[in-house]
Amino acid sequence: MTTLTFGKAINEGLRRALADEDRVVLMGEDIGTLGGVFRVTDGLKDEFGAKRVVDTPLSEAGIVGTAVGLAYRGYRPVVEIQFDGFVYPAFDQLVAQVAKLHYRSRGTVKMPLVIRIPFGGGIGAAEHHSESPEAYFAHTAGLRVVACSNPQDAYVMIRQAIASDDPVVFFEPKRRYHQKSEVDLDASLADQPPLGVATVVVPGTDVTLVTYGGLVQTARDAAVAAAEEGVSIEVIDLRSLAPVDYSTIEASVRRTGRLVVAHEAGEQLGLGAELAASLTERCFEYLEAAPVRVTGHDIPYPPAKLERYHLPDLDRILDGVDRALGRPNSLSGDSLSGVEA
């Protein structure tokens, strides 16, 4: 085992993919000489050369369009979108073209293309630099959409995404780039959970808490805090946003009878809405309470000084757990601070 930051784990995953397969090509703004604005590709241009780690012009549509051509020719391009909010100029390429090529060609054309997108807030940046656009892509049939939450998954999942013949939108929670943990660099992909599988990261019995990306660590912290009050939270890291691994979530909800979904993106028509509706359909007779969503607010991303009021934190997630359990909470008007113990 080697201790790596989240960002370095992705770097090692990219390095391994470049070394294992000559058709892997990295493309993006400032990813070569600079090593990317978050230094995720640091050193890869020096090791593999400028023809495989390509600094591109500032044109997201052009970058993705070029990557589509490379994928047509048998390459496995990996595109970095510098910040989440910069992906919109490439939205037409991804949704109207990339997602449909395999189906349009009746399976003749494969599209082994990875779009890496640092996403979410928590770094004190403004709009276009802290956004959560995952629902746009999860809604689009023909795209795989994943979000990793820890260094080990980052190392494995980026390699799995590159090995996939499907286009993969790969979300990286930028606030976790400096989080460290042990990574097994010798891990065989054959021994790892498949790309589309959710994982139970904290077992529990009272309520199921589903989240992904940067909020997984916050959910872990919430489980520890709740345990001090005798509440057992089962935390599920969704990992794959499209397709969703409903079997893992269903099994948990049928045991706990309660569901909380947390994400940084806004509530309206977000992943939480889809999960709440689908799990209600699948587990209605097992539910003891209505599913609860804990999300960002339905506003454009706020200025940096206000993001702590926008992003779900430990207190808001625990309040959602209280709502699911029917305990005093912020909506019931009798929060814990206002009632007798």
Side-chain angles (χ1 to χ4, degrees):
M1 291 287 190
T2 303
T3 300
L4 297 176
T5 64
F6 188 103
K8 184 63 175 175
I10 295 175
N11 178 284
E12 288 294 336
L14 293 170
R15 173 177 283 105
R16 179 72 177 270
L18 285 162
D20 289 348
E21 174 57 75
D22 290 340
R23 295 175 298 168
V24 174
V25 178
L26 311 188
M27 304 170 61
E29 299 161 1
D30 294 325
I31 70 163
T33 301
L34 182 65
V37 292
F38 296 105
R39 304 298 186 268
V40 171
T41 53
D42 192 33
L44 299 181
K45 179 183 176 184
D46 291 339
E47 187 171 347
F48 294 97
K51 291 185 177 179
R52 298 192 64 199
V53 182
V54 182
D55 278 320
T56 65
L58 304 183
S59 172
E60 287 76 13
I63 297 167
V64 174
T66 303
V68 170
L70 286 168
Y72 258 119
R73 299 290 294 177
Y75 289 88
R76 292 185 175 273
V78 182
V79 167
E80 177 181 297
I81 301 297
Q82 201 168 69
F83 283 93
D84 33 54
F86 297 176
V87 73
Y88 302 123
F91 190 77
D92 176 62
Q93 292 273 0
L94 291 169
V95 172
Q97 305 299 333
V98 170
K100 296 174 171 58
L101 288 171
H102 184 72
Y103 296 88
R104 187 184 296 160
S105 65
R106 297 185 179 181
T108 302
V109 172
K110 293 183 171 58
M111 201 46 44
L113 169 62
V114 178
I115 312 294
R116 293 182 42 240
I117 304 178
F119 85 122
I123 63 167
E127 64 176 14
H128 292 105
H129 296 73
S130 300
E131 298 183 8
S132 299
E134 61 269 24
Y136 296 129
F137 300 104
H139 182 70
T140 302
L143 297 176
R144 280 183 176 270
V145 183
V146 302
C148 46
S149 68
N150 62 78
Q152 180 66 47
D153 270 0
Y155 174 68
V156 170
M157 289 173 67
I158 189 64
R159 294 171 57 202
Q160 291 174 324
I162 294 170
S164 173
D165 285 335
D166 298 324
V168 179
V169 182
F170 193 91
F171 283 104
E172 304 166 7
K174 64 176 81 73
R175 72 157 101 173
R176 303 299 181 195
Y177 273 142
H178 300 292
Q179 175 183 322
K180 291 183 178 179
S181 69
E182 290 189 335
V183 177
D184 181 5
L185 294 176
D186 298 321
S188 168
L189 293 186
D191 298 330
Q192 302 302 310
L195 195 60
V197 171
T199 57
V200 176
V201 295
V202 179
T205 58
D206 294 332
V207 58
T208 300
L209 172 56
V210 179
T211 188
Y212 52 88
L215 284 188
V216 172
Q217 183 57 54
T218 311
R220 285 176 176 270
D221 295 340
V224 172
E228 295 175 358
E229 296 185 356
V231 175
S232 177
I233 299 177
E234 179 148 295
V235 179
I236 294 179
D237 181 355
L238 195 58
R239 298 173 80 244
S240 177
L241 315 188
V244 171
D245 174 15
Y246 281 110
S247 62
T248 296
I249 308 172
E250 274 186 62
S252 177
V253 171
R254 292 186 181 201
R255 283 189 291 101
T256 66
R258 292 174 171 84
L259 171 67
V260 176
V261 183
H263 54 62
E264 294 185 22
E267 181 180 84
Q268 183 174 330
L269 299 176
L271 263 294
E274 177 60 31
L275 291 172
S278 295
L279 270 299
T280 299
E281 291 173 346
R282 293 163 183 258
C283 305
F284 182 76
E285 64 270 29
Y286 295 89
L287 286 170
E288 301 288 342
V292 173
R293 289 172 287 170
V294 182
T295 70
H297 301 298
D298 291 320
I299 58 172
Y301 202 83
K305 290 183 179 179
L306 298 178
E307 73 172 352
R308 64 193 176 97
Y309 301 108
H310 177 72
L311 296 173
D313 59 11
L314 185 142
D315 287 340
R316 285 181 60 194
I317 289 177
L318 288 176
D319 183 70
V321 169
D322 286 339
R323 289 161 57 192
L325 289 169
R327 287 154 50 101
N329 61 78
S330 61
L331 297 184
S332 66
D334 53 355
S335 61
L336 288 174
S337 61
V339 299
E340 294 183 3

